[in-house]
C-alpha cells in the first residue's frame, strides 16, 4: 500500500483525530496528514464531510470515511492482516462498543464543559461527574482487561484507543482545575494503564504533552471569546 | 438455541427496542419480551443497565448487552449463520455506521423535539431541519442501495433497521403536525423504501400502527406534564 493511498484530515490537539492516527500506527500504515487550521475549514474537508464538516476524515483511495470510531473500525476491517483492534469475542466487542459510546455521548461532553462552566458550583459538579465516570471506567477495566494491562487484554485495542485519546485533555483538565481524576487511591488500575498507554509505540508520538495542550486550551478560549463577541 | 436463552427488556413504542426485535426476527430467534411500564423501571433493568438505566437490554445466556446499535451488531456477530445484517464490504459498513450515528445523534433528537417546541417558529424550524435530514438520507439511499430496494441492497440490513425503526415516530410527527417529511416529490426512493420496509416479515409485527403511536404520544405528553408539575 503506497503512502499516498491514505490521507487523514485532522489537527494535532483533537482526541478524535488521535484515534485514527493510533489505529493507523497499530497497523503500521504510512499516511499523509493534512492539518486543518483553527478557525477555518479546508475545501477538502467541506467536500469530504458535508454532513458534519468535522475532522477527522480518513481518505482511502479517494473515498472519505468520517466519524472517529467508524474510522477505527474501518481501519481494523480493511487492514485485517495487522494486529487486531476490536476484540474477537462478540460479547467483548459489545462491551468495548458500549463504553466507547458512553465516553463520546456522556463522559467527554461533560468533562469538556468544565472549561466553560460559568459558576463555581457548576464547575465543581461537572468535576465530580467526570470523576464518577472515571470510577465506572476503573470498574469496566477489570472486566475488559481480564487481568492484563490494557482494556484490549495484552494489546491496546478499541476501548484503549477510545478512552486513551482523551488522556491529554483529561490531564489538561486536571492541571487547569487543580484536581486529580485518575489517581492511586480511587483508580489504581487506570493510573497504571494510562502510563502504559501513553508510552505505547503507536501512541507516544501522537499524544500531545499536557503543557502544550494547556497552552492550546488558553488560545482556544481566547479564540472562542473573540468569535462570540464579533 | 432454547427460547429462554434470549430475553429482551423493552417497551413496544420504543424505536430503539424495535431495532433489537427486528434483528432477532431477521435471525429467526425466539426470545422472551420483558415489557417495562411507562414511569417505572424494573429491578432487572436497573441491574442490567446500571449506567444508563434505559431500554433496550438484550440478555443472552444471563449476560446483558445495552445500546440498540451495539445489540444489533452483537446479534449479527453471534448468530452469523443467519442472514447478515451489516454489509460485507468495509466501506459499505463504514457508510452504514456513519448514517446510523447521524440518525441517533442529530436527526432523531431534533425530530423528537418538535413535539415539545414551545414557540411556533421553533417548531417550524425543527420540522424544516427534520425534512433536510430526510433529504440527505434520500441521497444516501442511492449510494447505499446501489439500485436495489433497501439500504442494505436486496435485503434489509443495519441502516434499514437504524432508520426504519424511526418510521412509526416519523409518521406520528407528520400526522400530529400536518406535514409530510417523506413524500413522492422530494424523497421518492425513501417513500418506496418505507413501504417495503414496513411490510417486511421481520418488521411488520413490531412496527406499531401510527394511530396507536399518536394515542401513546398524547398519553406520554400528559404523563410528562404531570411529572414536571409534581
Amino acid at each position: 500500500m503506497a503512502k499516498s493511498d491514505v490521507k487523514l484530515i485532522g489537527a494535532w490537539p483533537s482526541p478524535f483525530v488521535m484515534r485514527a492516527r493510533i489505529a493507523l500506527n497499530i497497523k503500521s500504515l504510512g499516511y499523509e496528514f493534512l492539518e486543518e487550521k483553527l478557525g477555518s475549514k479546508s475545501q477538502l474537508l467541506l467536500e469530504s464531510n458535508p454532513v458534519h464538516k468535522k475532522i477527522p476524515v480518513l481518505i482511502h483511495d479517494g473515498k472519505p470515511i468520517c466519524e472517529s470510531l467508524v474510522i477505527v473500525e474501518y481501519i481494523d476491517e480493511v487492514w485485517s492482516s495487522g494486529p487486531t483492534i476490536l476484540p474477537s469475542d462478540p460479547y467483548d466487542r459489545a462491551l468495548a462498543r458500549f463504553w466507547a459510546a458512553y465516553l463520546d455521548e456522556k463522559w467527554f461532553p461533560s468533562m469538556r464543559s468544565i472549561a466553560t462552566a460559568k459558576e463555581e458550583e457548576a464547575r465543581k459538579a461537572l468535576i465530580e461527574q467526570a470523576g464518577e465516570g472515571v470510577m465506572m471506567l476503573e470498574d469496566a477495566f477489570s472486566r475488559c482487561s481480564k487481568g492484563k494491562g490494557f482494556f484490549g487484554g495484552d494489546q491496546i485495542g478499541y476501548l484503549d484507543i477510545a478512552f486513551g485519546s482523551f488522556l491529554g485533555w483529561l490531564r489538561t483538565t486536571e492541571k487547569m482545575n487543580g484536581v486529580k481524576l485518575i489517581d492511586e487511591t480511587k483508580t489504581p488500575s487506570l493510573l497504571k494503564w494510562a502510563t502504559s498507554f501513553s508510552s505505547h509505540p503507536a501512541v507516544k508520538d501522537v499524544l500531545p504533552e499536557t503543557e502544550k495542550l494547556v497552552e492550546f486550551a488558553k488560545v482556544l478560549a481566547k479564540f472562542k471569546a473573540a468569535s462570540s463577541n464579533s
Side-chain angles (χ1 to χ4, degrees), chain A:
Chain A
M1 182 74 52
K3 192 176 174 177
S4 62
D5 283 333
V6 183
K7 295 185 177 78
L8 181 70
I9 313 179
W12 68 266
S14 161
F16 302 105
V17 172
M18 218 171 294
R19 289 175 174 174
R21 300 180 83 182
I22 295 169
L24 289 165
N25 286 346
I26 288 174
K27 302 283 184 175
S28 304
L29 293 164
Y31 61 96
E32 192 180 341
F33 190 48
L34 306 171
E35 194 131 15
E36 291 287 311
K37 288 198 175 63
L38 183 63
S40 68
K41 291 178 197 284
S42 70
Q43 196 55 33
L44 184 64
L45 173 60
L46 298 175
E47 282 166 12
S48 307
N49 189 359
V51 176
H52 302 296
K53 304 173 183 71
K54 279 186 178 168
I55 53 171
V57 179
L58 182 80
I59 304 180
H60 179 215
D61 288 341
K63 289 187 288 186
I65 300 105
C66 308
E67 296 277 302
S68 66
L69 293 176
V70 174
I71 293 172
V72 171
E73 292 218 46
Y74 177 81
I75 291 169
D76 198 32
E77 290 171 1
V78 169
W79 291 279
S80 54
S81 56
T84 55
I85 294 174
L86 266 288
S88 57
D89 175 76
Y91 189 70
D92 293 338
R93 290 163 84 95
L95 268 187
R97 287 182 180 131
F98 170 83
W99 284 109
Y102 166 78
L103 283 162
D104 283 12
E105 287 158 27
K106 302 274 175 188
W107 184 79
F108 186 66
S110 167
M111 191 192 70
R112 186 171 46 186
S113 61
I114 294 172
T116 50
K118 296 266 185 290
E119 312 280 332
E120 182 58 19
E121 208 164 311
R123 197 181 64 96
K124 279 190 181 161
L126 285 166
I127 292 171
E128 200 177 307
Q129 217 171 304
E132 281 165 12
V134 173
M135 300 262 288
M136 286 206 283
L137 282 150
E138 170 82 8
D139 191 47
F141 184 81
S142 65
R143 266 176 298 151
C144 294
S145 66
K146 295 164 186 169
K148 309 279 173 68
F150 294 102
F151 283 95
D154 279 324
Q155 297 177 48
I156 66 168
Y158 186 74
L159 186 50
D160 294 285
I161 298 173
F163 187 25
S165 61
F166 291 134
L167 275 177
W169 282 104
L170 182 144
R171 287 169 181 151
T172 302
T173 304
E174 287 183 333
K175 191 143 193 150
M176 294 182 87
N177 292 277
V179 293
K180 279 280 168 203
L181 295 170
I182 292 184
D183 71 13
E184 187 65 54
T185 324
K186 284 183 289 187
T187 57
S189 307
L190 286 186
L191 186 69
K192 216 172 147 191
W193 163 79
T195 309
S196 313
F197 180 82
S198 306
S199 59
H200 189 281
V203 176
K204 62 182 169 48
D205 295 331
V206 294
L207 191 68
E209 285 168 23
T210 311
E211 281 307 330
K212 207 177 154 193
L213 272 181
V214 169
E215 283 315 305
F216 177 79
K218 289 173 186 167
V219 172
L220 190 66
K222 274 183 197 159
F223 177 82
K224 282 187 176 170
S227 307
S228 66
N229 289 336
S230 64

